[in-house]
């Protein structure tokens, strides 16, 4: 009987751990929902904080870190979340300046963040970089997610969208 209980517990724990593992495609798909949905944001924030290894994963970790600022009423926590995420994202971009996905993440955040936070100096640079380099991404699914997000965000005019979507 004891063996069955241990076996069942092991299966439950391993199922839980697998369910919590990082799925970057889900993170990408839900990226724009993290600002609005506190539960989703907290889920990704915690998962990414534990499991993010690659620069892109750390970029999304930074984004969800900043999104957490939206879901707290404490002004000090808001600034801590935002500044911590900003620092992490900037570090990833400094180390990987030609990574389209990292520049996309920063573009989206800087485009929508309130101007009083003073984090918008790279909007035009990132917008141009993403427009001129998205087509070079080898992963078609990721490219489609980014393109569709940007198309819906109305950051680009029709001519720019044509270049973005090539």
């Amino acid at each position: 009987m004891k063996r069955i209980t241990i076996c069942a517990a092991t299966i439950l724990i391993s199922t839980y751990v697998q369910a919590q593992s990082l799925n970057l495609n889900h993170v990408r798909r839900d990226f724009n929902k993290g600002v609005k949905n506190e539960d989703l944001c907290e889920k990704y924030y915690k998962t990414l904080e534990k499991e993010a290894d690659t620069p892109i994963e750390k970029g999304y970790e930074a984004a969800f870190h900043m999104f957490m600022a939206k879901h707290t009423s404490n002004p000090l926590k808001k600034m801590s979340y935002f500044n911590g995420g900003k620092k992490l994202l900037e570090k990833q971009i400094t180390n990987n300046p030609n990574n389209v996905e990292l520049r996309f993440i920063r573009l989206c955040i800087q485009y929508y963040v309130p101007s009083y936070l003073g984090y918008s100096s790279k909007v035009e640079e990132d917008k141009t970089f993403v427009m001129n380099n998205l087509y070079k991404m080898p992963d078609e699914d990721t490219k489609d997610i980014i393109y569709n997000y940007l198309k819906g965000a109305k950051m680009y005019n029709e001519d720019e969208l044509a270049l973005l979507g090539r």
Side-chain angles (χ1 to χ4, degrees):
M1 184 67 160
K2 198 173 195 181
R3 246 182 177 184
I4 293 171
T5 304
I6 292 170
C7 185
T10 303
I11 290 170
L12 286 173
I13 290 170
S14 69
T15 302
Y16 176 77
V17 169
Q18 288 173 349
Q20 294 297 312
S21 69
L22 182 59
N23 182 323
L24 193 53
N25 286 328
H26 290 168
V27 173
R28 287 175 175 128
R29 182 195 66 213
D30 293 338
F31 173 63
N32 64 331
K33 298 173 189 166
V35 173
K36 297 174 187 140
N37 184 323
E38 183 175 357
D39 293 334
L40 185 71
C41 182
E42 192 168 339
K43 171 191 147 191
Y44 283 125
Y45 169 68
K46 288 179 178 178
T47 301
L48 287 160
E49 190 175 48
K50 286 182 211 159
E51 299 184 31
D53 290 322
T54 69
I56 292 170
E57 291 169 351
K58 289 188 179 296
Y60 283 108
E61 176 188 352
F64 281 95
H65 201 105
M66 286 186 262
F67 295 165
M68 287 296 292
K70 179 92 169 158
H71 303 299
T72 184
S73 57
N74 181 321
L76 295 176
K77 274 189 155 183
K78 279 184 182 291
M79 288 309 296
S80 176
Y81 277 129
F82 183 78
N83 288 331
K86 180 173 106 174
K87 183 178 178 182
L88 179 58
L89 181 57
E90 289 302 321
K91 178 182 177 186
Q92 298 311 308
I93 293 172
T94 298
N95 293 337
N96 305 278
N98 296 318
N99 187 297
V100 177
E101 197 162 359
L102 289 173
R103 301 282 290 269
F104 157 75
I105 293 167
R106 182 171 68 184
L107 170 62
C108 294
I109 290 169
Q110 287 194 357
Y111 189 81
Y112 288 110
V113 77
S115 60
Y116 64 81
L117 290 173
Y119 190 53
S120 60
S121 65
K122 302 288 186 181
V123 169
E124 289 305 316
E125 178 184 320
D126 288 345
K127 184 178 165 186
T128 300
F129 181 85
V130 171
M131 181 177 62
N132 291 329
N133 292 284
L134 182 63
Y135 77 95
K136 297 175 186 175
M137 288 185 76
D139 181 346
E140 291 296 322
D141 291 336
T142 301
K143 194 181 334 182
D144 287 345
I145 289 170
I146 292 172
Y147 174 77
N148 288 324
Y149 178 90
L150 292 172
K151 183 179 178 186
K154 308 220 185 290
M155 289 182 203
Y156 293 91
N157 64 38
E158 289 301 316
D159 292 336
E160 292 170 330
L161 277 175
L163 285 173
L164 190 65
R166 62 187 140 154

